[in-house]
Amino acid sequence: MQGRFLCTNSAADLNSAIDAVRAARELVPKARPEARLVAVRLASLLGMRARPDDEQEAFAVLVAAQRTVRPGSGEHAAIDFMTAALLLPRYLRHRREEDLTAAVERLERAMPVLDGEAARDRPNPQHTAVMATMAGMVRFHLALAHNSRQSGGPADEEAEQRIVALLAEAERLSPQTSSMTGMLHQVRELQRGLVQGEAADPMAMAEQLSVDDGPFPIANDMLESTTGAIRAGGRLGSSGDLQALDAQIAVLEAELAAPDRYEPDPAIRLVTLAQCYQLRARTKGLSDDPSAGADRLRAQELATEALAVGGGSQDQARLVLGVCKLDSLRPERPDPQALDEAVRLLRRGAGGTSLSPAMRNAARIPLAEALLARGMLVGDADEVDEALALLTAHRDRLPPTSLQHAVASSRVAAALHVRAEGTGSTEDLLHAADASRRATAAIGELSLVWAYDTALHWAEWSWRHGRTADAAEAYLLTLRTLNQMARAQLSRAYGELVLRRRTRGLVGRAAHALTRRRRLPEAAMALESGRAVLLSAALERDLVGLTDAEHAPVRERYRQAVDRLTELEDRAQREASTRDDPAFDGASTAEEQTGEERA
């Protein structure tokens, strides 16, 4: 029954296996050696099911079984390993340091004993192979424990070398672990790329993440689900592609709907699916897509269900609910009560003990967003300053060369703009503009979505404050990035969604700001590029029909727009090479501002 469960992932099969081993335990006298074998099998199955009462019973069964064997023996070491294998998932759910410490101590104690058992000459070579496999699995779990301790914190070179050595030894002793060790290697490389800034293109690395065939389908499914989520997030972050996120939501919904699917911790899948819906809702909301509200409601429903189920994902569920509350606010009619509720949920979620260090650092972001919104609404400078401090602390915990640091710098720049709005100080205005310029340069081509949002925020702020030189520079960068994002989409629907991402009036403001700075060829280029992108989208709507004669005028207009755009780009580049335009100017006069408002 246990073997069938490992292949089917059926809750009924797992429950039947537990019932069978309980019945067997009643039949075996406690003084018999077989009683320990049955007890260990029961603990193993209870650990798989992993309900709170199962977990406690499994620990009690293992403690009782270990009392009957000699310390230092192979059986004693095997029970140490099994106990550690139960402690590690509990640590990952609740983040209690004592669980991780106890797991590491038991694994370190078991490893030399199991190594000796694997090296002994035995009449039955299968027994030797079992001990070698167990010795390899001990090393894998020990590497996993050290990696969990490293996650989100400063890199420890000695610990890194230990993890690599443990994984190599695990593969040597037990080739069956190669799929698990390979996956852990890939995840660690991705983490170093994203968090430590050691990879030039961490999003490309996420795209290449793959799972080799492992010994059991259930393990493959779990690993594939994890890699799918990483790939979907990577595509969305780099190019704004929602198709991968759609596919991931469909997979998770199908798994959730499976009537007999076993879930060791149902809240984890509920929260993961809620996070996907919330992310898609926010992305659609930036383009005024009407389906954003339905996605947000689904995210709230799933997060609320996760809270009711319990488990170790409560803090993440509160964070999802808080962000949904924040995203549902209407700028023209903000709801103070909903904003207060968002701040309450986000404070509680961000301060939760079940979050990993990296997740706790990331939780500062939505809390800061909520504090900024409430600080602006009620005019509370202290909340704005608290939000800025949270974002600065988040950024400063990240390596300066990483993608995450560049994104965090963009968030800090946005918060500085909010503070400058409130204080009206010239020094704050200059500081915010300089932070935006540096953040835009840092994000570069690492993430089209963040490069676009950062440049657009800088451009809109400069426009509102009459800083036409900055506005012209930022709007040009915004338009270029928008065109890149539109071309990166794999479907017409998402291409059009990107073209609506906070783009209302964008081309007109860009052309006006460039005209005010006497950058006429670039102003015309902004207008023509907007026309070319729209015509390109129109042409892609019916590729077959566009071969008809009546569409010849559309094709000709598109060709002329592209030719005109190419000509203007050449002229703009020639003029830019001979122009000594100041990169930063003072605020415009009141008459200039009035003229811009009329325009």
Side-chain angles (χ1 to χ4, degrees), residues 149-352:
R149 183 167 279 161
Q150 286 278 91
S151 178
D156 183 338
E157 189 59 34
E158 185 176 344
E160 288 289 316
Q161 293 175 0
R162 179 88 196 280
I163 292 169
V164 172
L166 285 168
L167 292 176
E169 280 292 295
E171 287 191 24
R172 183 183 66 80
L173 290 165
S174 176
Q176 294 93 330
T177 65
S178 59
S179 61
M180 293 181 289
T181 58
M183 180 64 186
L184 186 55
H185 276 305
Q186 290 183 74
V187 170
R188 280 167 40 76
E189 287 177 12
L190 180 61
Q191 181 186 14
R192 286 196 296 271
L194 287 170
V195 179
Q196 303 299 336
E198 294 180 9
D201 191 354
M203 294 306 178
M205 189 185 297
E207 186 67 24
Q208 295 167 5
L209 206 60
S210 62
V211 180
D212 296 328
D213 291 336
F216 300 114
I218 179 174
N220 292 352
D221 290 345
M222 293 174 64
L223 292 175
E224 185 57 45
S225 179
T226 301
T227 57
I230 292 172
R231 283 194 294 267
R235 291 175 189 172
L236 180 64
S238 61
S239 65
D241 176 23
L242 278 173
Q243 283 195 318
L245 192 60
D246 289 345
Q248 184 66 19
I249 287 173
V251 168
L252 291 171
E253 284 283 16
E255 292 174 350
L256 196 63
D260 191 39
R261 182 180 176 84
Y262 163 71
E263 289 289 352
D265 188 352
I268 291 178
R269 193 170 299 277
L270 290 168
V271 169
T272 302
L273 185 54
Q275 289 170 329
C276 290
Y277 272 111
Q278 180 272 316
L279 185 57
R280 191 169 73 175
R282 173 170 280 198
T283 304
K284 289 181 175 180
L286 293 172
S287 300
D288 296 324
D289 189 285
S291 65
D295 280 350
R296 188 162 51 247
L297 287 175
R298 179 62 175 151
Q300 290 178 261
E301 173 189 319
L302 291 162
T304 303
E305 188 178 348
L307 285 174
V309 167
S313 303
Q314 304 290 288
D315 295 320
Q316 291 168 268
R318 292 187 185 95
L319 291 173
V320 172
L321 282 173
V323 173
C324 287
K325 293 274 187 185
L326 185 62
D327 289 349
S328 66
L329 296 173
R330 297 182 178 180
E332 66 277 7
R333 289 192 324 179
D335 183 349
Q337 289 184 340
L339 191 52
D340 290 344
E341 177 67 7
V343 171
R344 185 188 69 79
L345 285 165
L346 291 169
R347 276 198 190 281
R348 189 173 177 188

Side-chain angles (χ1 to χ4, degrees), residues 46-57:
L46 290 171
M48 287 182 185
R49 195 163 67 177
R51 296 171 185 168
D53 52 341
D54 290 339
E55 200 173 63
Q56 294 304 318
E57 183 182 356

